[in-house]
Amino acid sequence: MSTRIIPLDYVNNLMYELEKSFWDERGRGARFRMTTVGREFYQEKVAALLAEPELTTILTTIKDVLLREGLVGSVSYNQEDRLLRVRVDGCLHLPVEEKMIARGAEPCACIPANLIVLAVEDKLKRPVELAEIKIVDGGCQLLLVLFDHLPTLD
């Protein structure tokens, strides 16, 4: 990865424009197509660290990576049956979601949520849906739905 420094405002503005364009094209359906954004980061920084195919291990590992990389200030989560509620504070990309809301669109992409989706689908073979992204008290509240295991042809 390059060590060249790019201004965060520039990156977030590009992310906003891409996300908003996709929202304009697909509406709420954009959220279900944006969950693979961050796949390369997942492959490079997270996948090899997931030694156990357990949800708690996945969530702890992703939290640790996000904190170590300086992408977020904190991450907490709570699971209720198939619902996974995640709170992210201090995310570098919060301005993207705030701008989406200010422009009348719903946030439809979240890198921390996407890392969870990618890991659960990869390691647990369970489909995950990012059902909701809300900004509450200066942070993001995410709602993910974990479905049963994917069917296999074995």
Side-chain angles (χ1 to χ4, degrees), residues 16-145:
Y16 161 75
E17 290 172 4
L18 291 167
E19 189 174 332
K20 179 69 166 70
S21 294
F22 208 60
W23 172 265
D24 290 343
E25 177 71 25
R26 299 285 179 163
R28 285 194 174 121
R31 184 176 303 130
F32 309 110
R33 290 165 181 82
M34 300 277 292
T35 56
T36 59
V37 174
R39 184 185 308 271
E40 188 169 337
F41 183 85
Y42 168 75
Q43 292 295 335
E44 291 177 2
K45 303 282 185 174
V46 179
L49 301 175
L50 298 173
E52 299 176 25
E54 306 255 341
L55 183 59
T56 304
T57 302
I58 288 169
L59 296 171
T60 301
T61 302
I62 290 170
K63 175 182 176 178
D64 292 346
V65 169
L66 289 169
L67 291 168
R68 184 176 63 245
E69 295 291 325
L71 300 176
V72 302
S74 67
V75 178
S76 58
Y77 52 86
N78 180 35
Q79 185 180 3
E80 304 165 19
D81 194 30
R82 294 185 337 171
L83 301 180
L84 178 62
R85 297 180 192 285
V86 180
R87 169 78 187 190
V88 179
D89 287 298
C91 182
L92 292 178
H93 303 303
L94 179 62
V96 175
E97 311 318 328
E98 291 173 330
K99 193 181 271 191
M100 289 287 289
I101 292 168
R103 302 292 198 298
E106 292 180 20
C108 57
C110 172
I111 301 305
N114 289 359
L115 294 176
I116 294 169
V117 170
L118 290 164
V120 169
E121 290 182 350
D122 179 33
K123 300 299 180 180
L124 301 181
K125 307 300 184 216
R126 292 179 68 181
V128 182
E129 179 180 306
L130 175 56
E132 185 175 80
I133 303 170
K134 285 186 178 178
I135 297 176
V136 178
D137 298 327
C140 288
Q141 289 187 169
L142 314 169
L143 178 62
L144 293 102
V145 181

